[in-house]
Amino acid sequence: MSYGQDGTDSLKQLNELTSIYQKYIENEDNFEIAKKHALNFKKKAEELKVDEYICYGYYYLANSSDEINKIQYLDSIIYYSSKNLSQEPSQQFPELAYRAKADWYYKKRKFSKSLDVLLEGLNVATKNNKPYYINDFNFTVGLIKSERLEQEKDALTIFRTVYQYYDKKDDKENEKGEYFSSLFALADINRKLGINDSATFYNTLGFKNAQKLGDTFFTNYFSYNEGLNQSYVGHSEIAIDSLLHTLEFLKEHGDIANLGLAHYYLGKSYLATQNLNKGLFHFTKMDSIFQADHIFNIEQRAGFEYLVNFHKSKGDKIKQLEAIETLVKLDSIYMNQYKGIRDLMDLRFDRLSLLKERDTLLDTLDEQKLKSKKTIYFSAVIGVLLLSSTLVYYKKQRTYKLRFNEIMSTGHVEEAAKEFDNTEEIGVPDKIVEQILANLSMFEKEEGYLNPKMNTHILAEMLGTNSKYLSKVINQHKGQSIIIYINNLRIDYAVKRLKEDSQFRNYTIKAIAEEVGFNNPNSFSSAFEKRTKLKPSYFVKRILDSSNS
């Protein structure tokens, strides 16, 4: 590293850099202020000509930026490191950037992207011979394989290797978080694989070692995990005792996922002891957690099935239908998040049976309502009008509901893909067609359609072509006019964001329209209904109802 200054100036600038860093840390929660200090830090680091500090400047900028800029700053670290730190490797870079990038994609539930970044980072860390990051990346790869890809046996091998790395260290206290996390993961994966004796061994070892180091955080987690394990092997009383003692801890730490799983295994354990009321209580608690946050573990599915069958046994068709709708929603989320993985056939089969049961129940409720309305019909002519309008409204609402569920479960916004011939000669050279299609792909990826000024002329100019060629290519390969193509991209974006962003759902229709590139709410509503066969107000209301119920 070269400071490019004499010693006195260098020391002065290092002190200034430290001062800027402290201001950044003090305002870390305020992105706008933090970003100003991060920019100042990077500028001062560039004056000092210290490559590692420059990378930290980019890193602080990434931490105080939105998604698009965050990824760009992290990519800048990776690029800068490869150019400037290849001869003199940094302790943290570029691995820290790979880690932050993978974490961000994981948080956004883009698990495939997260895995790709982790594997790339692992390759770099291996080349740079950085054991900490090698094991750190491996650990998270193991989590994705275990929790998201159902590759438990691969995950077991990974967790065992990572645990052995930390277990060999004489001073475990310095990296106790990593040590206990690897031990917990090893216990949990053995539990999932049904190797319950090993799960108990690692839970007990982790609990005792955490006690020795005075770590109450991990003593609670090992106790919780052993509760799950004991319930799995049928030791219900032991499981209940362990899990009840950790409920408050999970609540306090906001661990919604494990809290829901704890209630499921408590419900299951109480049923095994013939305490049906408490079993039902904990399954209901599990359900309320899912309704509030849509966070769940697929292990809990049997608990939701129990609620369906319980209400069915009581003859409560309304609650039975609500429980079925919840189970359909759960399966939709699961299938969407685990797209492309193996072992979904059984779930898809169960889902078809579930949808059939739901439709049968709806038909039964329809018949009951119809009979009720017919009584009114025979009592007065006005009853006919009331019955007709009610049925029309009900059928329309049911059609809307089925369409809404289809969009939420499949992710397909358009009702049916239209077939069109893209082999017809259109008078545009093949090379230009390929270039336009490649540029359109980039245009979609970078969300250029959100620009409210976007039109045929601007898009053609952006893509380096003319309007005539662009119109022909989009018509042939997209089956749409340019304007409909742009509007459909905006609608698809709006639907996706409404599904994923809870704050966006609280926007007015006018605000949503403006956010996705429309100049007025009427054109947005018209385009939305053409694309989805649903009114935007209905779609937003249904998502809000699903989130708040």
Side-chain angles (χ1 to χ4, degrees), residues 76-88:
S76 294
I77 295 173
I78 294 168
Y79 176 78
Y80 187 88
S81 299
S82 68
K83 295 293 183 184
N84 299 282
L85 294 174
S86 56
Q87 300 301 316
E88 191 177 356

Side-chain angles (χ1 to χ4, degrees), residues 291 317-327 361:
Q291 299 296 346
K317 289 184 171 58
I318 299 298
K319 286 190 175 180
Q320 182 190 351
L321 181 60
E322 289 173 354
I324 289 174
E325 292 286 7
T326 296
L327 198 47
L361 194 57

Side-chain angles (χ1 to χ4, degrees), residues 226-227 229-241 269 272-273:
E226 186 57 20
N229 191 45
Q230 291 298 324
S231 176
Y232 190 87
V233 297
H235 298 159
S236 302
E237 297 289 355
I238 299 173
I240 289 168
D241 183 61
S269 298
T273 63

Side-chain angles (χ1 to χ4, degrees), residues 270-508:
Y270 274 118
L271 289 184
T273 63
Q274 302 304 309
N275 193 330
L276 304 187
N277 288 335
K278 285 192 175 180
L280 179 63
F281 171 80
H282 285 287
F283 283 147
T284 305
K285 280 282 189 181
M286 172 198 72
D287 178 64
S288 66
I289 289 170
F290 173 73
Q291 299 296 346
D293 297 281
H294 289 177
I295 295 174
F296 68 97
N297 188 304
I298 198 61
E299 292 179 58
Q300 296 166 233
R301 194 179 190 279
F304 290 99
E305 289 176 350
Y306 177 86
L307 291 174
V308 171
N309 292 325
F310 173 80
H311 295 306
K312 184 177 182 179
S313 69
K314 297 295 181 183
D316 191 332
K317 289 184 171 58
I318 299 298
K319 286 190 175 180
Q320 182 190 351
L321 181 60
E322 289 173 354
I324 289 174
E325 292 286 7
T326 296
L327 198 47
V328 169
K329 187 193 301 180
L330 180 148
D331 286 347
S332 298
I333 294 170
Y334 181 77
M335 292 174 73
N336 189 45
Q337 289 179 2
Y338 294 69
K339 198 182 298 178
I341 65 171
R342 62 178 178 82
D343 295 339
L344 280 177
M345 291 306 296
D346 289 343
L347 180 57
R348 289 195 179 107
F349 180 79
D350 290 344
R351 181 176 169 77
L352 288 172
S353 302
L354 195 64
L355 290 171
K356 186 177 180 181
E357 183 180 353
R358 183 190 67 180
D359 290 342
T360 301
L361 194 57
L362 279 168
D363 289 339
T364 302
L365 290 170
D366 281 352
E367 288 175 10
Q368 290 176 354
K369 288 187 178 182
L370 192 59
K371 287 176 182 177
S372 175
K373 295 297 181 184
K374 280 183 177 178
T375 303
I376 300 173
Y377 170 80
F378 287 117
S379 64
V381 174
I382 192 66
V384 177
L385 298 175
L386 286 171
L387 177 61
S388 299
S389 61
T390 300
L391 286 175
V392 168
Y393 173 77
Y394 185 77
K395 285 181 179 178
K396 189 175 182 181
Q397 289 300 305
R398 184 176 173 188
T399 302
Y400 275 5
K401 192 172 186 179
L402 290 171
R403 179 71 183 119
F404 173 83
N405 287 337
E406 181 187 354
I407 291 173
M408 295 300 286
S409 63
T410 65
H412 298 151
V413 176
E414 196 174 14
E415 258 200 320
K418 297 177 182 177
E419 293 186 6
F420 45 89
D421 183 10
N422 59 9
T423 61
E424 183 184 344
E425 180 61 47
I426 56 173
V428 181
D430 290 344
K431 283 189 177 180
I432 293 179
V433 171
E434 289 175 10
Q435 184 182 5
I436 290 174
L437 289 173
N439 289 337
L440 281 173
S441 179
M442 187 60 67
F443 169 73
E444 293 173 13
K445 186 177 180 182
E446 294 181 352
E447 299 171 350
Y449 48 83
L450 297 180
N451 180 354
K453 295 181 180 179
M454 187 57 60
N455 57 31
T456 301
H457 175 72
I458 292 174
L459 181 56
E461 196 173 88
M462 275 180 64
L463 302 185
T465 187
N466 59 60
S467 301
K468 185 178 179 181
Y469 278 3
L470 181 62
S471 178
K472 286 184 175 183
V473 171
I474 288 180
N475 265 291
Q476 185 191 37
H477 290 270
K478 306 290 183 181
Q480 305 165 346
S481 69
I482 295 176
I483 296 304
I484 291 176
Y485 165 69
I486 292 170
N487 282 346
N488 283 346
L489 288 173
R490 290 168 172 169
I491 298 305
D492 293 352
Y493 173 87
V495 169
K496 183 174 184 294
R497 192 164 166 195
L498 284 166
K499 288 167 68 175
E500 297 175 355
D501 187 343
S502 57
Q503 291 185 343
F504 193 57
R505 297 168 201 157
N506 293 314
Y507 286 20
T508 62

Side-chain angles (χ1 to χ4, degrees), residues 47 66 72 88 123 139 142 147 176 208 247 268 325 376 399 429 434 463:
E47 289 176 12
D66 57 21
Q72 287 177 347
E88 191 177 356
N123 183 48
F139 179 75
E147 297 175 3
K176 67 177 183 179
K208 287 179 178 177
L247 281 182
K268 180 183 173 185
E325 292 286 7
I376 300 173
T399 302
E434 289 175 10
L463 302 185

Side-chain angles (χ1 to χ4, degrees), residues 525-544:
S525 296
S526 175
F528 193 99
E529 192 165 1
K530 283 179 184 176
R531 181 71 168 161
T532 67
K533 310 304 178 191
L534 295 173
K535 294 182 183 295
S537 55
Y538 174 87
F539 188 81
V540 173
K541 184 177 184 302
R542 278 302 309 273
I543 288 188
L544 285 171

